[in-house]
């Protein structure tokens, strides 16, 4: 996809590929599950490290971005034409592109084009998280910044690769992987509570596609397990209890023809 405004010349293209689409789909599935009130309440209790910048009211407001930059760096005077064009582009892009992808692009571009060399990275990441939080509030409770800090070298490499290729795809993938890791850490912080899938169920849902039927042997192989009993007890039964998967032959539980299907969201 291309940023149409000619003033935005640095890394002005980004390519959406199958890997990105799969990661976004997986992330949104986890977000949907973790939005459960009991799980969300526990996430709010976590003391994740957050950037020390003011709260962002409107992540698509270039003037607010400039104001925050100016407070962090007194030498900042104005937004460049490229930055102004970028904010306008982001609003329009949301009509056709997934917010996670747009936030990733904005994060990269603001790091490159921002008016405060000392604080561009910090503020750009905060803006990206604000965009995600506006899209789904639960993103504010994932330790995304912690993951990014821990993987600083990988982040710098992704920025460098994106610049060399003039394609932000490497940085988008880094961002998606960071979000996945943050969500996994958030999951690990949640105590076992009724109505919230266990880690085994999470694994099961990851390998199943909605609407596709799987036999227990197939699932056992995909999960890397050797016991059908373990698959049934720790994976299938808890998932069915939560209404996350269903049997193709519910009247004959032990039928050799029995298959399992991941329930689509609209069926719940």
């Amino acid at each position: 996809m291309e940023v149409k405004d000619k003033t935005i010349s640095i890394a002005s293209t980004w390519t959406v590929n199958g890997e990105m689409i799969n990661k976004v789909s997986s992330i949104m599935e986890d977000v949907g599950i973790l939005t459960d009130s009991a799980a969300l309440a526990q996430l709010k209790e976590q003391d994740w490290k957050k950037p020390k910048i003011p709260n962002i009211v409107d992540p698509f407001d270039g003037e607010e971005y400039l104001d925050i930059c100016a407070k962090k760096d007194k030498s900042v005077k104005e937004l460049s034409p490229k930055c102004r064009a970028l904010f306008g582009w982001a609003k329009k892009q949301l009509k056709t592109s997934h917010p996670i992808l747009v936030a990733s692009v904005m994060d990269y571009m603001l790091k490159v084009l921002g008016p405060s060399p000392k604080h561009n990275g910090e503020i750009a990441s905060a803006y990206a998280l604000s965009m995600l939080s506006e899209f789904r509030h639960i993103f504010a409770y994932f330790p995304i910044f912690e993951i990014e800090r821990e993987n600083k070298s990988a982040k710098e490499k992704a920025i460098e690769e994106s610049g060399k290729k003039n394609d932000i795809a490497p940085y988008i993938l880094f961002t998606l992987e960071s979000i996945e890791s943050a969500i996994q850490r958030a999951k690990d912080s949640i105590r076992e509570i009724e109505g919230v899938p266990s880690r085994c169920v999470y694994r099961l849902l990851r390998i199943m596609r909605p609407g596709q039927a799987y036999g227990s042997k197939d699932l056992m192989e995909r999960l890397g397990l050797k016991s059908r009993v373990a698959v049934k007890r720790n994976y299938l039964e808890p998932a069915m209890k939560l209404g996350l998967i269903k049997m193709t032959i519910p009247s004959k539980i032990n039928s050799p023809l029995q298959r399992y299907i991941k329930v689509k969201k609209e069926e719940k």
Side-chain angles (χ1 to χ4, degrees), residues 120-158:
N120 282 341
E122 177 186 10
I123 300 174
S125 293
Y127 254 70
L129 182 57
S130 294
M131 291 176 193
L132 293 178
S133 300
E134 186 174 275
F135 166 56
R136 290 284 189 278
H137 189 56
I138 193 173
F139 276 99
Y141 302 104
F142 295 146
I144 298 174
F145 287 101
E146 286 191 353
I147 298 297
E148 285 195 353
R149 269 192 287 265
E150 292 169 8
N151 295 281
K152 185 178 179 181
S153 60
K155 182 176 184 178
E156 291 174 349
K157 183 179 179 180

Side-chain angles (χ1 to χ4, degrees), residues 115-242:
S116 174
K118 292 182 179 179
H119 305 287
N120 282 341
E122 177 186 10
I123 300 174
S125 293
Y127 254 70
L129 182 57
S130 294
M131 291 176 193
L132 293 178
S133 300
E134 186 174 275
F135 166 56
R136 290 284 189 278
H137 189 56
I138 193 173
F139 276 99
Y141 302 104
F142 295 146
I144 298 174
F145 287 101
E146 286 191 353
I147 298 297
E148 285 195 353
R149 269 192 287 265
E150 292 169 8
N151 295 281
K152 185 178 179 181
S153 60
K155 182 176 184 178
E156 291 174 349
K157 183 179 179 180
I159 291 175
E160 184 179 355
E161 279 186 44
S162 295
K164 287 181 179 179
K165 295 180 179 179
N166 197 39
D167 187 330
I168 312 177
Y171 190 77
I172 292 176
L173 284 172
F174 167 79
T175 301
L176 294 176
E177 289 166 1
S178 295
I179 294 174
E180 286 181 325
S181 297
I183 289 176
Q184 185 57 55
R185 186 167 296 182
K187 284 186 201 174
D188 293 343
S189 74
I190 297 176
R191 299 182 298 276
E192 291 288 334
I193 53 179
E194 187 176 352
V196 177
S198 66
R199 294 176 193 175
C200 290
V201 173
Y202 276 122
R203 283 192 64 205
L204 178 64
L205 295 176
R206 289 264 186 177
I207 65 168
M208 298 179 74
R209 292 183 177 277
Q212 184 174 331
Y214 299 84
S216 58
K217 183 179 179 181
D218 184 22
L219 292 174
M220 180 178 70
E221 292 175 350
R222 287 170 178 264
L223 290 166
L225 302 174
K226 297 181 179 180
S227 170
R228 289 196 183 189
V229 174
V231 171
K232 183 177 180 182
R233 181 182 301 164
N234 300 325
Y235 295 81
L236 293 171
E237 290 181 351
M240 287 190 287
K241 185 177 180 181
L242 291 171

Side-chain angles (χ1 to χ4, degrees), residues 58-74:
D58 181 4
F60 297 101
D61 184 347
E63 295 305 320
E64 183 178 6
Y65 173 72
L66 173 61
D67 183 54
I68 291 176
C69 287
K71 288 179 179 178
K72 298 286 287 186
D73 185 349
K74 293 181 180 180

